[in-house]
Amino acid sequence: MNGLKTFPLGGVHPDDCKFTNEKTIVAIPIPEVVYIPLSQSLGAPSVPVVNKGDRVKTGQLVAKGEAFISSNIHSSVTGIVEKIDDWIDTCGYRKKAIIIKTEENDEWDEGIIISDEIKREITLSKEEVIQKIKEKGIVGLGGATFPTHVKVSIPQGKKAEYLIINGVECEPFLTSDHMLMLEKSEQILIGTQILMKALNVEKAIIGIEANKPNAIEKLSNLAKNYKGIVVQGLKLKYPQGAEKQLIKALVNREVPSGKLPIEVGCVVQNVGTAYAVYEAVQFNKPLIDRV
């Protein structure tokens, strides 16, 4: 690993409050009722493909992203659709949601593979990878929830040179990406390879801040087995996880005001997104959960 990098101007240094950085990832119990909003991406709401009274399986498509910027939505549980109705979301807005009364056990939708096996061989073509990402409803898990299939579909006349994987997690209290990098290290690297294939790039950089030395060490050692992927440690500074600051820190390129990273040959994806892409492409699992 090279010396620590950062972006040169601005930024702040809040206290480091990573109280949960040694807590393992655990699954939560299945609730009695789940509310699945139809607005789960940065784009148009999805359109329901189920009705009141339908029984749905875990991972089944329940709403289709029909607009250019939208995403498919799948059920995270097995159960009966009670209704499709307005529901107050976490931001306090009333939005349509599919409300499902759950069953005690998951029954997975056909074609989804649930396995702890690490599947390294990527058999799909570039076009098939992008289609699978779209089909399985993958969106950016760094916070913006931009549909991933749109982000990896490079506009005509543009070219991606670098895939940047964001493992910075510069917010003071967050540790979910940190623990994901420790527990799903190789899966994230394979997901990175899949995204490289979708973008047709040969270089990927995983940026991680220096307060996660075990994640830097583990991914650096594993990345030696993955052509074109390097891990770069970063100094602690907020908001280094923002796309423009991260690009400046890692490849010293400045995204023009009002423009997107592709203007400087970069595409940025979160480590959680890379893991979700791995699960979608290698095991047909849609985006129904996250750390």
Side-chain angles (χ1 to χ4, degrees), residues 62-133:
V62 293
K64 198 164 180 57
E66 294 188 347
F68 174 62
I69 300 180
S70 187
S71 64
N72 289 346
I73 295 174
H74 301 76
S75 178
S76 55
V77 293
T78 298
I80 304 295
V81 177
E82 286 198 325
K83 56 183 175 177
I84 300 170
D85 203 354
D86 287 341
W87 172 66
I88 298 176
D89 70 7
T90 52
C91 296
Y93 295 102
R94 296 189 71 84
K95 292 182 180 176
K96 282 278 186 291
I98 298 171
I99 301 165
I100 302 172
K101 173 76 172 175
T102 65
E103 296 178 6
E104 188 174 346
N105 297 310
D106 282 323
E107 182 182 343
W108 287 90
D109 198 33
E110 187 177 352
I112 300 171
I113 301 167
I114 302 303
S115 172
D116 292 328
E117 170 199 0
I118 295 178
K119 188 177 178 183
R120 297 176 179 85
E121 185 183 7
I122 303 163
T123 58
L124 301 188
S125 67
K126 169 186 172 176
E127 292 74 21
E128 288 169 335
V129 163
I130 296 172
Q131 181 58 35
K132 184 69 71 175
I133 289 170

Side-chain angles (χ1 to χ4, degrees), residues 163 192-204 229:
L163 168 63
T192 300
Q193 279 195 319
I194 294 168
L195 288 165
M196 290 169 73
K197 187 168 191 175
L199 293 165
N200 196 27
V201 300
E202 297 180 355
K203 292 177 281 191
I229 303 177

Side-chain angles (χ1 to χ4, degrees), residues 162-207:
Y162 290 98
L163 168 63
I164 292 174
I165 299 295
N166 188 344
V168 175
E169 199 166 49
C170 58
E171 298 81 2
F173 287 89
L174 300 189
T175 61
S176 56
D177 286 350
H178 184 180
M179 299 316 297
L180 190 68
M181 286 187 283
L182 291 177
E183 294 192 22
K184 304 294 181 182
S185 314
E186 196 159 9
Q187 293 93 325
I188 288 169
L189 289 167
I190 299 165
T192 300
Q193 279 195 319
I194 294 168
L195 288 165
M196 290 169 73
K197 187 168 191 175
L199 293 165
N200 196 27
V201 300
E202 297 180 355
K203 292 177 281 191
I205 307 171
I206 303 175

Side-chain angles (χ1 to χ4, degrees), residues 1 12 24 32 36 39 62 107 124 140-142 144 152 156 161 172 186-187 235 238 241 256 270:
M1 185 187 69
V12 296
T24 56
E32 291 184 7
I36 300 181
S39 297
V62 293
E107 182 182 343
L124 301 188
L141 295 181
V152 297
Q156 194 167 2
E161 296 177 61
E186 196 159 9
Q187 293 93 325
K235 295 178 182 178
Y238 180 91
N270 177 263

